[in-house]
Amino acid sequence: MTIQTMLSMLFGGFQTSLAIFALTLVGALPLGVLVALARQSRIKPLAWLMRIYISIMRGTPLMLQMFAIYFAPYYVFGIQLNPGSKWTAVVVAFIINYAAYFAEIYRSGIQSIPRGQYEAAEVLGYTGSQTFVRIVLPQVVKRILPAMGNEVITLIKDTSLAFSIGVAEMFSTARAIVASQVTMLPFLFAAGIYWVSNFVIESLLAALEHRLDYYHE
Amino acid sequence: MRLTTTNVTRRSAITMLGGAAMLGLAACGSTSGGSSSAGSDAATTESASSDQLEPTSGMDFVVGFDQEYPPYGYVGDDGEYTGFDLDLAQRVCEIQGWNYQPNPIDWDAKDGELNGGSITCIWNGFTVEGRENDYTFSDPYMLNAQVIVVKADSGIKSFGDLAGKTVITQADSAALEVLQGDQADLAATFASLDTRADYNTAFMELESGAVDAVACDLSIAAYQLAQKPDTYVQLDDELSSEHYAVGFKKGNTDLAKAVTDTLKQMDSDGEVEKLCEKYSDQGISYSNWCLGK
Amino acid sequence: MRANAAQQAGPADAAAKGQGAADGLPVVSLCHVRKSFGEVPVLRDITLEVQRGEVVAIIGASGGGKSTLLRCATLLERMDAGSLSYAGLEVARDEGGRAAYADKATVREARSRFGLVFQGYNLFPHWDVMRNICDAPETVQGRPKEEAEAEARELVRRMGLEGCERKVPCELSGGQQQRVSIARALAMHPDVLYFDEPTSALDPQLTSEVLKVIRGLAEEHMTMVIVTHEMAFARDVADRVVFMDEGRIVEEGTPEQVLVHPTQERTRAFLAHGKD
């Protein structure tokens, strides 16, 4: 196998990794906000439900959750799977898993906003949602950025778990090439691609942190 | 590029996000059913209606295999899935007019994939012995043996020399089954018997000296010996001998029979022998073919 | 709908002001207010009315209930008993010894009638001075951006904050921040402005900048209720001084009456032994 073939296969797999990464962020970033708010809701059953959900998502392996989501339709509801099911299952599992982690980070950020901010907004007549969107959330973003950066970088690497239900992403592609070609090169390339992509993400996060550095509390 | 078998359609992406928002397993169920067009032919939906698959022309024939299992199923030099079993499967599909789809799976998930219906069969150097009650098999087509591979300079010559040694094999593999069953007494003499996710990792550990021996299929051993003839030797003793067949979900007897018949026909046409020659340098020998002889 | 109502709030307010003055209705009226935190009574039967244009200074030792009174008046705390109304708009009334609050719309309307300047400023740290002042008029009252910004610039000038328009709070001194927070409250056109110890977080020099601004507002006959430790300032600027102790109003009257010739022993003791 030529190096070109190897690399183009790895980049093909990397596209799948990136698609999982991007869809997870698109789904989990907003979903996490809803979960964080529901978790702090005054409606006790809802808050409890979210607590249990977060606890399960953080307390069980993502790989197991993927298995559960992939196979539950068949084993619980008798719905036949098809080759498209696994892609759906991977993305759903990643989104609901990461939404739970994001929700806890959001919650820590929301709770760190001083009471005085809410009181000032209340006296000025802001509604609850205006207060959250205009005053609380922008400050939360700045506070949680380092923690979110950690999760986002972990997410890129976690995409390699997708093959446990048969979605071939970059790492499983690398392993398949290693097996047939009996060479370590694909691992080296894969490591390089992971690192470079995380380096890009780190740089973007650093730029964003710098942008938000115009104020401190 | 065939490796990324999963193309995301716009529709399925939207359905997925909807499913995520609903947070329920029920939602996942309906999304899975609803996105059947993603990455596959629409024909899949037909087969989804019943557990019992009838061989029909034009149907999807999804072959589940371990992509790290040369020479049966692996990534070829051109980046396409290839291997002795996959070539057989592809040819059977051509003859039957089925839509051949190679689908790499995580070996540990094979039963779920098969029962759930996302793959039609497991065709991947799949040992019959010990699994008779779990699958509906085609007739066995290949003889195989479970053997032990050690490093050439290790000084291990026979099973007796393995006492106190570290032996590994693939998780959920036939070799493991034998070592935990008929050969449990032998396994008891080892320092330890561990498993790895795939044989490639196992052989990397053997080569690097982390372990003393790998228990595996005859053909796996032949493949690795062919790649690095000076590094490994295979012990003359065999742990067991066994047969390979195509595994279907229980009850799919018609489909299994159709595959058996087609394989027989290919053998009498001489196609099988040619295919064995193609993979001879990787440990496949026509002398081990057992179907219709 | 809300934007519309809010847009009319300016002129409607003016009308209400005129009418309120004509009717002689107090801008704010608190009657028989009681409040406990758990078992601890903090306000015990407080009655306070503030007339239009009046400047009331509330003094007293810490823990005497001054801040809690302000927080009840600004709806940050709920009273246990008593009534509260803003120029005839009844926000809470006493029903059999319990305070019964009006519906959300009334409470919202009442909020538009007062402003509060906090001890710790509570500016929004992620916004510059202009946004801090303009945002509530635009977002809450739905006023046009140009109008809100023009008024904000005028307020910046009056507060002596020229050149700070694009600075964020952390770049300002405490005195400047407190003046921004006064401007933020004024931009909402309140009928009455409350100050909760506005200078206690400031050193003497910065204190004088802020007091100067408040004095300026008093000269313009802004209705104000000021909780303060600055006795000299209270005497100087207030029309009426209220001395609170242990959750009660012990003594009230002109600055001369309360601060120079107190009749109550507790007032004398407080004035003699220091402010806090």
Side-chain angles (χ1 to χ4, degrees):
Chain A
M1 184 184 283
T2 62
I3 300 283
Q4 279 90 338
T5 315
M6 211 179 267
L7 280 175
S8 81
M9 285 180 68
L10 288 173
F11 276 111
F14 185 58
Q15 280 176 18
T16 306
S17 304
L18 266 188
I20 297 170
F21 173 77
L23 284 172
T24 303
L25 286 187
V26 165
L29 286 174
L31 183 62
V33 176
L34 297 182
V35 173
L37 291 177
R39 166 80 176 77
Q40 298 174 84
S41 167
R42 259 168 286 178
I43 307 161
K44 286 288 163 228
L46 182 65
W48 265 99
L49 198 69
M50 288 302 117
R51 232 177 123 160
I52 292 166
Y53 155 68
I54 291 169
S55 173
I56 291 173
M57 288 298 133
R58 301 205 306 176
T60 60
L62 174 53
M63 193 186 282
L64 209 129
Q65 293 163 21
M66 259 185 309
F67 267 80
I69 289 170
Y70 182 35
F71 292 122
Y74 174 76
Y75 284 104
V76 181
F77 303 105
I79 298 164
Q80 284 288 312
L81 303 179
N82 62 65
S85 313
K86 54 183 60 174
W87 174 248
T88 312
V90 162
V91 176
V92 169
F94 267 82
I95 287 176
I96 66 172
N97 178 276
Y98 269 82
Y101 280 93
F102 289 164
E104 283 299 274
I105 296 177
Y106 291 148
R107 188 168 69 95
S108 71
I110 290 168
Q111 288 178 342
S112 75
I113 301 297
R115 231 178 109 85
Q117 294 288 302
Y118 291 96
E119 292 186 346
E122 189 180 331
V123 168
L124 286 166
Y126 286 93
T127 63
S129 55
Q130 284 170 341
T131 305
F132 184 71
V133 172
R134 299 190 61 78
I135 293 159
V136 176
L137 202 55
Q139 297 185 54
V140 166
V141 168
K142 179 182 162 91
R143 283 168 189 241
I144 64 174
L145 210 52
M148 290 298 280
N150 267 337
E151 287 301 320
V152 169
I153 284 168
T154 305
L155 171 58
I156 278 266
K157 295 178 288 180
D158 271 1
T159 56
S160 62
L161 293 173
F163 188 68
S164 59
I165 59 169
V167 169
E169 39 56 67
M170 180 169 64
F171 188 62
S172 60
T173 307
R175 285 189 10 179
I177 305 172
V178 167
S180 69
Q181 301 296 313
V182 201
T183 159
M184 290 291 126
L185 264 183
F187 282 158
L188 198 66
F189 289 147
I193 296 171
Y194 280 123
W195 179 72
V196 168
S197 52
N198 272 332
F199 184 79
V200 170
I201 290 168
E202 279 169 15
S203 305
L204 289 174
L205 285 167
L208 188 58
E209 265 186 61
H210 184 72
R211 254 188 82 119
L212 291 177
D213 214 24
Y214 70 92
Y215 78 92
H216 52 85
E217 278 85 27
Chain B
M1 173 127 310
R2 183 115 59 82
L3 254 192
T4 48
T5 50
T6 48
N7 299 315
V8 199
T9 66
R10 208 185 148 93
R11 190 181 69 123
S12 65
I14 291 166
T15 325
M16 271 181 291
L17 292 176
M22 284 188 240
L23 280 175
L25 282 177
C28 309
S30 65
T31 43
S32 310
S35 59
S36 61
S37 63
S40 83
D41 234 39
T44 325
T45 23
E46 289 166 30
S47 60
S49 55
S50 132
D51 272 17
Q52 177 71 34
L53 285 174
E54 290 303 324
T56 44
S57 182
M59 69 179 246
D60 280 341
F61 191 84
V62 186
V63 179
F65 69 100
D66 177 354
Q67 61 175 348
E68 296 169 51
Y69 205 66
Y72 296 103
Y74 61 99
V75 178
D77 286 352
D78 56 357
E80 300 287 308
Y81 291 129
T82 185
F84 179 73
D85 277 354
L86 289 184
D87 283 1
L88 280 178
Q90 185 165 17
R91 190 70 192 110
V92 167
C93 285
E94 277 169 23
I95 292 167
Q96 290 281 356
W98 298 333
N99 181 18
Y100 165 72
Q101 290 182 10
N103 191 332
I105 57 167
D106 191 291
W107 197 241
D108 295 333
K110 61 184 182 304
D111 293 338
E113 302 263 15
L114 192 64
N115 291 330
S118 55
I119 58 173
T120 315
C121 67
I122 299 165
W123 195 332
N124 198 186
F126 196 44
T127 303
V128 176
E129 282 79 2
R131 296 190 174 110
E132 293 88 345
N133 297 324
D134 304 326
Y135 304 88
T136 292
F137 281 102
S138 69
D139 288 0
Y141 59 88
M142 206 74 180
L143 273 174
N144 185 39
Q146 298 299 326
V147 297
I148 298 269
V149 176
V150 296
K151 278 188 90 172
D153 55 7
S154 68
I156 300 170
K157 302 279 184 239
S158 67
F159 284 177
D161 297 335
L162 287 169
K165 301 294 182 187
T166 309
V167 183
I168 55 173
T169 184
Q170 189 181 27
D172 214 6
S173 67
L176 181 66
E177 217 155 288
V178 171
L179 284 168
Q180 289 174 338
D182 296 347
Q183 296 281 6
D185 291 347
L186 173 64
T189 68
F190 301 162
S192 68
L193 174 64
D194 286 335
T195 59
R196 296 296 180 264
D198 60 284
Y199 275 123
N200 193 56
T201 312
F203 276 93
M204 279 161 55
E205 289 190 44
L206 179 61
E207 187 180 10
S208 63
V211 299
D212 300 308
V214 174
C216 63
D217 287 2
L218 180 63
S219 50
I220 301 287
Y223 178 76
Q224 292 288 344
L225 259 64
Q227 298 295 326
K228 293 185 174 164
D230 301 331
T231 311
Y232 307 124
V233 288
Q234 180 191 321
L235 299 187
D236 292 334
D237 302 341
E238 287 178 356
L239 291 166
S240 71
S241 62
E242 63 198 20
H243 298 85
Y244 283 166
V246 187
F248 295 88
K249 184 178 175 180
K250 264 189 101 67
N252 281 339
T253 42
D254 291 351
L255 203 51
K257 186 172 185 311
V259 169
T260 304
D261 293 345
T262 316
L263 286 175
K264 279 181 182 164
Q265 182 196 326
M266 282 166 63
D267 182 41
S268 54
D269 291 350
E271 276 191 57
V272 169
E273 192 169 359
K274 265 189 233 157
L275 204 57
C276 290
E277 274 161 29
K278 178 179 165 190
Y279 288 94
S280 60
D281 61 338
Q282 297 181 41
I284 302 279
S285 162
Y286 185 62
S287 60
N288 290 329
W289 184 266
C290 60
L291 186 63
K293 277 186 174 172
Chain C
M1 274 287 282
R2 201 163 63 219
N4 261 341
Q7 257 168 3
Q8 286 157 15
D13 261 3
K17 270 175 204 167
Q19 201 169 16
D23 296 351
L25 280 174
V27 176
V28 57
S29 162
L30 290 142
C31 289
H32 304 297
V33 173
R34 289 174 193 279
K35 171 79 184 170
S36 300
F37 289 119
E39 293 296 302
V40 186
V42 184
L43 299 177
R44 319 181 199 212
D45 194 18
I46 299 277
T47 296
L48 179 70
E49 291 191 339
V50 181
Q51 302 299 329
R52 189 157 305 281
E54 197 181 15
V55 177
V56 176
I58 304 178
I59 60 168
S62 290
K66 308 181 305 279
S67 287
T68 306
L69 181 62
L70 227 54
R71 289 176 65 82
C72 285
T74 53
L75 300 161
L76 289 174
E77 297 286 354
R78 287 175 92 84
M79 313 178 293
D80 295 335
S83 66
L84 167 64
S85 54
Y86 278 92
L89 180 76
E90 192 172 59
V91 185
R93 61 197 169 95
D94 198 278
E95 277 179 4
R98 296 210 60 82
Y101 277 81
D103 57 28
K104 270 189 170 177
T106 309
V107 168
R108 166 165 290 277
E109 165 64 19
R111 279 213 180 92
S112 73
R113 299 196 178 183
F114 60 79
L116 172 60
V117 175
F118 296 85
Q119 181 179 347
Y121 333 128
N122 292 347
L123 291 174
F124 303 125
H126 58 304
W127 284 341
D128 65 18
V129 168
M130 284 296 281
R131 184 73 352 228
N132 261 287
I133 301 173
C134 291
D135 197 77
E138 288 171 21
T139 306
V140 176
Q141 297 181 332
R143 274 150 62 185
K145 198 172 183 326
E146 300 72 31
E147 183 194 311
E149 285 187 352
E151 188 183 340
R153 258 186 284 278
E154 170 61 17
L155 283 166
V156 164
R157 194 191 57 72
R158 272 171 69 192
M159 296 296 130
L161 291 165
E162 290 101 331
C164 296
E165 287 88 346
R166 293 295 161 214
K167 287 187 177 169
V168 283
C170 64
E171 297 172 302
L172 303 176
S173 73
Q176 288 172 321
Q177 290 193 50
Q178 194 57 297
R179 281 179 281 153
V180 173
S181 111
I182 295 171
R184 179 175 72 175
L186 287 172
M188 299 298 280
H189 300 168
D191 291 351
V192 54
L193 198 49
Y194 296 101
F195 292 84
D196 187 5
E197 306 191 10
T199 60
S200 60
L202 301 174
D203 62 36
Q205 197 196 334
L206 299 177
T207 296
S208 71
E209 304 174 354
V210 173
L211 295 185
K212 201 175 119 198
V213 165
I214 299 175
R215 195 173 284 122
L217 291 172
E219 281 159 14
E220 295 166 28
H221 303 292
M222 180 77 208
T223 312
M224 293 187 281
V225 177
I226 307 165
V227 170
T228 184
H229 292 290
E230 302 284 334
M231 294 308 146
F233 172 71
R235 189 158 73 186
D236 195 24
V237 89
D239 300 310
R240 181 154 52 112
V241 173
V242 174
F243 171 64
M244 278 181 73
D245 191 38
E246 291 180 351
R248 289 194 179 87
I249 292 177
V250 175
E251 189 163 2
E252 64 180 309
T254 63
E256 178 80 7
Q257 284 169 346
V258 178
L259 299 174
V260 185
H261 307 294
T263 60
Q264 299 295 310
E265 185 51 41
R266 274 191 285 173
T267 318
R268 275 192 217 115
F270 171 72
L271 292 171
H273 294 294
K275 334 279 188 229
D276 207 353

